[in-house]
Amino acid sequence: PPKRTPKLACMGHACSKGGEVKPEPPLVAAGSGTAGGAATASSKPRPAEVIRDDPEEAWKWLMEGNRQYIEGQNTRGPRRTTTEVRDRLTRGQNPIATVLTCSDSRISPSLAFACGPGDLFVVRNAGNVLTDGAIASIEYGCAHAGSPILLILGHQSCGAVTAAVGHIVDKETGLPEHSCIPTILDKMRATIQPTIDSAPEDVDRTELIDMAVRQHARATLANVLKECAVVRKLVEEGHVRVYCGYYALGTGLVTVLDP
């Protein structure tokens, strides 16, 4: 694909100064490593060097990492924490994916995809909410750092979604006066309200929350494409592929959600 030099301009969100955006310098580090054996810098460069312009291969690489994580066979993450790798990272980044996910301490995208330093550009807040800062960071990861993948990753038993569902259904949060958390809950209302409205009256609360987590991820991705012209253009031109995912706390499995 042609070299990307989009302008920094978002719709409805504060963005960086206008001007051309050039991907940061490529980085070649120790080999990617696979479940089948070792790799060296000479025989197999760092995956991002090979697949940064191939979103399909980048996604396969991430899914292979998740398989390794689930099976406890992470053969590549530790290989990229060497002194040589850290030194090369001082000269730039070349992440495989930009990931918006929750701040929950029980989920770590780098571990879940068997990644090392420099592999993921991760944006986190409670409930993976699309704040102005989050969407600007997503644009940076995709347009400037050059990620070929954008992933919105929700997770099982999300506390923020649980609180948002309670905020809507029970009309209360149980939070102290002057708490800042309702600002997050209010932002989540629009993304999960349709799930609550369409759910059967006798639906179990745990099931409702799980449904809301998935819908929140889908709606958040749709809002990224609606509100950020730079990311939308990269997707339309085939430079970036977008995914919604669901992380199961009990197994570590990441499943892809239909948009």
Side-chain angles (χ1 to χ4, degrees):
K3 188 175 181 181
R4 289 176 278 172
T5 55
K7 299 287 186 178
L8 279 170
C10 272
M11 299 168 60
H13 291 273
C15 297
S16 304
K17 258 183 212 179
E20 291 192 342
V21 181
K22 297 181 180 179
E24 295 191 356
L27 174 68
V28 179
S32 65
T34 65
T40 64
S42 59
S43 65
K44 189 174 289 187
R46 182 177 185 275
E49 174 71 4
V50 176
I51 64 180
R52 91 176 262 153
D53 287 322
D54 191 335
E56 182 176 355
E57 288 303 310
W59 182 251
K60 289 179 181 178
W61 189 85
L62 287 176
M63 290 297 97
E64 166 60 18
N66 186 236
R67 184 195 65 78
Q68 290 188 20
Y69 173 67
I70 293 169
E71 297 178 0
Q73 299 177 349
N74 183 355
T75 63
R76 63 193 195 190
R79 189 169 287 117
R80 298 216 291 285
T81 57
T82 64
T83 300
E84 178 186 9
V85 171
R86 290 194 299 270
D87 177 66
R88 289 177 177 176
L89 285 170
T90 65
R91 298 193 286 278
Q93 60 176 321
N94 193 8
I96 295 287
T98 294
V99 183
L100 172 62
T101 193
C102 184
S103 296
D104 196 302
S105 62
R106 297 169 292 178
I107 174 174
S108 170
S110 291
L111 292 178
F113 293 108
C115 290
D119 289 332
L120 299 180
F121 189 90
V122 182
V123 183
R124 304 185 72 165
N125 59 45
N128 41 278
V129 176
L130 195 62
T131 61
D132 287 353
I135 200 166
S137 297
I138 288 170
E139 180 185 320
Y140 186 94
C142 293
H144 184 71
S147 297
I149 295 293
L150 168 60
L151 170 63
I152 309 299
L153 186 61
H155 70 92
Q156 180 183 11
S157 303
C158 179
V161 173
T162 300
V165 169
H167 186 42
I168 296 171
V169 176
D170 304 325
K171 311 299 182 185
E172 61 180 41
T173 64
L175 296 170
E177 188 179 2
H178 305 307
S179 171
C180 294
I181 294 177
T183 59
I184 292 177
L185 306 185
D186 290 339
K187 272 189 168 292
M188 298 177 74
R189 177 183 290 272
T191 60
I192 67 176
Q193 185 77 56
T195 297
I196 294 173
D197 292 343
S198 62
E201 291 185 7
D202 60 348
V203 66
D204 177 76
R205 179 61 67 93
T206 300
E207 182 180 356
L208 178 61
I209 291 168
D210 201 65
M211 292 165 56
V213 166
R214 296 167 188 266
Q215 176 56 29
H216 176 55
R218 295 186 184 100
T220 298
L221 175 56
N223 287 337
V224 171
L225 299 179
K226 176 183 178 182
E227 300 182 33
C228 189
V230 171
V231 174
R232 183 170 65 250
K233 182 178 180 182
L234 290 173
V235 173
E236 290 171 349
E237 293 178 348
H239 298 298
V240 173
R241 184 168 292 185
V242 295
Y243 294 89
C244 288
Y246 176 89
Y247 177 86
L249 293 178
T251 64
L253 177 68
V254 174
T255 54
V256 179
L257 304 175
D258 292 331

